[in-house]
Amino acid sequence: MKKHLLSLLLALTFTAPILAQSYFEDGLSADFHRGRRQALRAQMPANSVAVIFTNPQKNRSNDVDFIYHPNTDFYYLTGLREPNAVLVVFSETRDFGAFSADELLYVQNRDPRAEMWNGKRLGVEGAKEKLGFEQVFLNEAFGKSPALDLGKFDKILSFDLGKDIEESSANLPMAAMLGQFKTESGYTAGISATTQQLYELVRATPLENSANVAQIIGRSRRFYPEVENDSLLIGFAEADSPEKRQQIKAQIPDSKLNIIALEEILNSLREVKSAEEIALLSKAAQISAIGQVEVMKAAKEGMSEREIQGIHEFIYKRYGAENVGYPSIVGGGNNGCILHYIENDLKNVNERLLLMDLGAEWRGYTADVTRSIPVSGKFNPEEKAIYELVLRSQEAGIQLCKAGTEFSEIGRVTRQIIDEGLVELGIIQAGARHSYFPHGTSHHLGLDVHDRGGYGPLKEGVVLTVEPGIYIPEGSDCDPKWWGIAVRIEDDILVSANGPVNLSADAPRTVAAIEAMMEQSSPLENWTLPEVK
Ligand code: GLY
Ligand code: MN
Ligand code: MN
């Protein structure tokens, strides 16, 4: 009995997920989210419904869950940051007898005990009052009251569902809503955005071109297990005559459920940022740049990668940022060559170059800023040569961030400068293929670090990164004097009517500016802590 009581007490101490607050008082306005739902509605096909689930709570271990983060499409459209919720948007206003509505929101219940442990919930009334929805219901009513009757719609738009709904009790309401939705919408087990795209390709392609489609499926099956497990698609890929392909084509199910269209609509909506969003992104970028500045002052031999990560993240918290937008990357020397290095466990950064890629998340919007600095305070000649080449490439990329530039042009120009520079430095032969710049130059930035958006011509209001890099791991096929040098320079650029605006410009970027900043003193210099055995 005693043992039982003890474990109960321990459970009381540690149990329960840690919920972030369920909406931001100083984030996007209810009007913003309402306007985004209207914009979604305007792009939906006639007589259609969009059903958008938020993320489930994810378990970390035993009875501790990860800090909750909502699905960013759901958040963009609602402002709600609680799990166990779903948004329903109709293309036209629908009459439910007692009321008519063009959108419904289903939320988790108020629960004094759960709220005592995990924080406040909005509940039905809170969602009406704070988020500005008119028709809000408890999640247990989803699909039933008011009856959704999904069969009455010509199209049901949703996302690729349910892969990460864990079997934890925290997600039971989520699992129940998903089950209800799958039953009513004719959601086929195992369907994914890839299988649906391939089904549509098969349906839309005339018989004479069907061999090309068979080839595409053949390539996809190597990367997507759900394609490998789809007997119709595999049958189509392996059929040895157009007639056999035609027979299989006739069996491809025609479904009202569309899990591609919503992706395309949200890509187009989220690509261009409003003034409200730009203000939040700008704040995230400024805070992240100040983190880089403070680390430039404080960094010295003997510090660990983790300590440096901690200084950045302390600055974020000091300003009140709620989170980091992605796991922080702090890589000393050769570790900088690992693109998404997040162990950050080198005990002494020595006098090497230090690559630091971090971003504060401010009211849902994340920055993504990288600086590469010499821990000694001075670049050596090889480090300087590589650094200035990357900087020249980045400058050219930033100058291209104007409305009308093709997205791919930024990658082409920045890569060409790096290729030519590597030849001039004797690191590669002219025309040689190499892997010293193995990633893309730019991506959209917003609620996600790799945000939704198109990859055609840039538009005013787009925010994107420009982040060329050169990474020369130990043992590379070049003079060893270059080994272990890793440089990425990454800034967050707004495409404005007046050209590119660098939102993270407060972090020094030139060799001279970085070296000058590193000479400045840091308040951390006089801060000693007791030794811990
Ligand atoms: N921090 C990830 C990236 O730069 O894309
Ligand atoms: Mn990036
Ligand atoms: Mn980055």
Side-chain angles (χ1 to χ4, degrees):
M1 180 64 198
K2 252 190 182 156
K3 189 161 176 261
H4 181 74
L5 193 63
L6 183 66
S7 56
L8 185 69
L9 281 172
L10 281 174
L12 288 175
T13 313
F14 292 112
T15 193
I18 303 153
L19 281 189
Q21 68 184 105
S22 55
Y23 74 102
F24 290 121
E25 297 271 8
D26 56 353
L28 297 167
S29 63
D31 281 347
F32 169 87
H33 299 293
R34 188 182 300 111
R36 298 294 76 200
R37 296 194 295 278
Q38 274 160 3
L40 162 64
R41 199 171 291 119
Q43 290 198 40
M44 287 168 60
N47 195 31
S48 67
V49 57
V51 182
I52 299 169
F53 291 86
T54 193
N55 282 343
Q57 179 73 58
K58 294 191 171 75
N59 184 255
R60 185 172 185 265
S61 179
N62 194 14
D63 58 356
V64 175
D65 287 349
F66 283 107
I67 292 174
Y68 183 68
H69 198 285
N71 170 290
T72 49
D73 291 315
F74 179 87
Y75 175 72
Y76 183 77
L77 294 166
T78 64
L80 181 61
R81 302 175 67 234
E82 290 181 36
N84 299 315
V86 57
L87 169 69
V88 179
V89 177
F90 306 114
S91 53
E92 295 86 16
T93 302
R94 298 192 77 81
D95 183 5
F96 289 97
F99 64 90
S100 56
D102 52 15
E103 57 193 26
L104 311 171
L105 180 67
Y106 294 85
V107 299
Q108 60 186 359
N109 60 353
R110 296 291 309 270
D111 176 340
R113 194 182 138 74
E115 290 180 55
M116 179 179 75
W117 284 103
N118 305 324
K120 285 215 179 336
R121 298 176 174 191
L122 280 183
V124 169
E125 291 313 315
K128 288 181 183 171
E129 186 193 328
K130 307 284 186 195
L131 307 177
F133 279 85
E134 283 183 15
Q135 301 299 337
V136 185
F137 304 89
L138 286 183
N139 52 20
E140 63 203 30
F142 173 74
K144 300 171 211 142
S145 175
L148 272 185
D149 286 338
L150 290 176
K152 288 191 179 150
F153 295 90
D154 292 336
K155 284 269 173 237
I156 304 163
L157 313 185
S158 196
F159 290 115
D160 205 344
L161 290 177
K163 281 203 189 105
D164 55 358
I165 305 274
E166 285 107 342
E167 306 265 316
S168 85
S169 56
N171 291 322
L172 283 179
M174 194 82 195
M177 288 191 289
L178 265 174
Q180 172 90 13
F181 174 70
K182 287 184 171 180
T183 310
E184 282 197 30
S185 68
Y187 194 94
T188 322
I191 196 158
S192 71
T194 310
T195 44
Q196 185 160 97
Q197 254 157 351
L198 292 173
Y199 278 178
E200 291 195 357
L201 194 62
V202 170
R203 264 194 230 112
T205 308
L207 197 58
E208 59 269 26
N209 296 332
S210 60
N212 294 342
V213 176
Q215 264 187 2
I216 293 171
I217 298 170
R219 278 198 295 274
S220 301
R221 67 190 287 187
R222 279 188 268 144
F223 302 107
Y224 300 100
E226 67 269 35
V227 176
E228 184 63 38
N229 294 330
D230 188 305
S231 56
L232 287 174
L233 289 175
I234 294 308
F236 194 88
E238 292 178 349
D240 52 13
S241 69
E243 291 68 33
K244 281 196 188 144
R245 285 197 281 274
Q246 183 59 32
Q247 278 171 12
I248 295 170
K249 180 175 172 175
Q251 295 171 47
I252 296 273
D254 194 9
S255 166
K256 288 181 167 197
L257 180 68
N258 186 317
I259 55 174
I260 308 170
L262 206 47
E263 298 252 354
E264 283 167 9
I265 297 175
L266 277 150
N267 282 349
S268 78
L269 295 183
R270 285 177 56 181
E271 175 175 3
V272 175
K273 271 66 182 178
S274 69
E276 258 185 272
E277 292 177 285
I278 291 166
L280 300 178
L281 270 167
S282 175
K283 194 146 184 173
Q286 280 180 60
I287 292 169
S288 307
I290 294 168
Q292 297 280 358
V293 166
E294 290 306 313
V295 168
M296 285 181 196
K297 295 183 201 164
K300 59 173 191 272
E301 195 190 341
M303 280 188 168
S304 68
E305 291 174 344
R306 251 183 220 135
E307 183 177 3
I308 286 163
Q309 171 185 355
I311 301 171
H312 285 277
E313 294 182 10
F314 169 68
I315 305 277
Y316 301 175
K317 296 286 189 214
R318 177 106 190 220
Y319 280 100
E322 67 269 12
N323 211 338
V324 288
Y326 55 92
S328 300
I329 299 167
V330 178
N334 203 52
N335 289 341
C337 297
I338 303 168
L339 300 175
H340 286 172
Y341 172 76
I342 56 173
E343 283 83 4
N344 304 346
D345 61 359
L346 184 69
K347 292 212 173 63
N348 183 351
V349 290
N350 283 331
E351 296 206 354
R352 313 178 205 197
L353 272 190
L354 183 62
L355 187 153
M356 306 177 292
D357 180 345
L358 305 94
E361 187 170 297
W362 181 266
R363 307 313 174 246
Y365 284 80
T366 183
D368 184 8
V369 181
T370 309
R371 289 293 181 268
S372 307
I373 64 169
V375 177
S376 67
K378 295 272 177 231
F379 288 86
N380 73 25
E382 286 76 29
E383 291 165 353
K384 186 172 176 201
I386 298 291
Y387 189 91
E388 293 199 316
L389 172 54
V390 176
L391 183 61
R392 193 148 47 83
S393 164
Q394 196 213 18
E395 263 306 314
I398 292 173
Q399 291 315 315
L400 286 169
C401 292
K402 296 178 184 146
T405 303
E406 283 293 327
F407 207 101
S408 57
E409 184 66 359
I410 303 170
R412 193 189 65 74
V413 168
T414 50
R415 188 164 297 278
Q416 187 176 340
I417 292 172
I418 296 232
D419 288 347
E420 288 171 4
L422 288 172
V423 173
E424 277 166 29
L425 293 172
I427 295 172
I428 60 167
Q429 305 277 318
R433 290 172 70 86
H434 66 89
S435 53
Y436 296 129
F437 178 16
H439 58 77
T441 304
S442 295
H443 55 79
H444 290 276
L445 192 64
L447 288 169
D448 284 301
V449 62
H450 297 159
D451 209 40
R452 286 191 178 282
Y455 288 86
L458 295 181
K459 300 170 188 147
E460 261 174 47
V462 159
V463 177
L464 74 167
T465 65
V466 180
E467 50 172 311
I470 295 178
Y471 315 87
I472 311 181
E474 303 279 349
S476 293
D477 185 17
C478 63
D479 189 324
K481 70 180 182 179
W482 304 110
W483 292 1
I485 295 181
V487 172
R488 175 161 68 251
I489 314 174
E490 175 171 30
D491 282 272
D492 303 340
I493 310 297
L494 164 68
V495 179
S496 83
N498 302 319
V501 179
N502 187 347
L503 303 178
S504 44
D506 290 345
R509 259 188 321 141
T510 62
V511 164
I514 289 172
E515 290 183 349
M517 186 60 77
M518 293 186 76
E519 278 182 14
Q520 293 201 18
S521 60
S522 158
L524 290 172
E525 269 156 33
N526 301 319
W527 191 21
T528 53
L529 296 173
E531 192 182 338
V532 176
K533 297 236 166 37

